[in-house]
Amino acid sequence: MDDSSALLPALLIAAGAGAGAWLLRRSWQRKDQKHGLVLGGWLLIAASLIWPAWVLGAARGVFVALALISTASLIVVASNYTVRQAKARAARESLAPEPSDRATTRWRETLRWLLAGPIGMIAAMGVGIAYAALVPGEQQTRLVVGGMIVPVAWGACMAWTLADNRILRATAVLVGVAIVSFTAAIVKGFA
């Protein structure tokens, strides 16, 4: 099956999904709950998902339909996007102040940079290596999963240290995690 044969079904999927998302959006914006709009919207979206399986094939049709349904729905929702001006009073009473609103010194900036960067990376590597060394299973699987843990854990360390106001707590936790994870991996070994 060539790629040009999927163009017409793709346009029909996008049109059906867009119409379904528009019906759902209209029903949610109205004060009186019209169940017909909700039912019609979900039926159009379901038809846009099921119909391509017969036309394009089970695997290809569902894949194309899922991609186009989500894209068409996002376009419908984003078409009514407006930017509102923030109220000054609400910005000051925020429960979580922005990191730039915190009082800072040179050593705090340096420590925060070290925690988000190299120290967080070392702690994340320790968690990944400890996973590879301590969890039972095939060696290759443990190594791959341990390697996939490292960037996620490093990102979590970065986000936490940049958002936390108590820099010494972040330092203690990250250094503690690095020491405990590397110690556990060394004691167990990789066998």
Side-chain angles (χ1 to χ4, degrees), residues 124-144:
M125 285 176 50
V127 170
I129 291 171
Y131 180 89
L134 299 174
V135 172
E138 293 294 321
Q139 292 181 358
Q140 295 86 354
T141 305
R142 291 185 296 164
L143 285 173
V144 168

Side-chain angles (χ1 to χ4, degrees), residues 20-188:
W22 182 79
L23 285 174
L24 288 174
R25 183 161 175 77
R26 290 284 295 169
S27 71
W28 292 329
Q29 287 176 340
R30 296 178 70 146
K31 294 196 186 321
D32 59 338
Q33 296 294 323
K34 293 284 187 182
H35 296 294
L37 292 176
V38 174
L39 182 63
W42 284 117
L43 284 176
L44 276 172
I45 290 175
S48 297
L49 180 62
I50 295 170
W51 174 72
W54 283 292
V55 176
L56 298 174
R60 184 179 184 196
V62 173
F63 174 76
V64 169
L66 285 175
L68 289 175
I69 288 171
S70 60
T71 305
S73 300
L74 180 64
I75 290 170
V76 168
V77 171
S79 66
N80 200 18
Y81 178 75
T82 59
V83 178
R84 297 181 185 170
Q85 295 298 326
K87 295 179 182 177
R89 181 177 51 99
R92 281 180 281 152
E93 295 175 6
S94 174
L95 294 175
E98 291 294 323
S100 59
D101 293 344
R102 293 184 285 219
T104 184
T105 61
R106 193 69 165 158
W107 76 271
R108 281 180 163 277
E109 289 178 7
T110 304
L111 184 59
R112 197 170 302 277
W113 178 84
L114 287 171
L115 286 173
I119 297 172
M121 179 190 62
I122 292 170
M125 285 176 50
V127 170
I129 291 171
Y131 180 89
L134 299 174
V135 172
E138 293 294 321
Q139 292 181 358
Q140 295 86 354
T141 305
R142 291 185 296 164
L143 285 173
V144 168
V145 173
M148 290 170 51
I149 287 174
V150 173
V152 174
W154 190 13
C157 292
M158 283 183 191
W160 179 48
T161 57
L162 294 175
D164 194 5
N165 281 332
R166 300 206 170 134
I167 192 78
L168 295 179
R169 174 177 57 191
T171 304
V173 169
L174 288 181
V175 169
V177 165
I179 290 172
V180 168
S181 60
F182 275 114
T183 302
I186 290 170
V187 167
K188 168 70 169 76

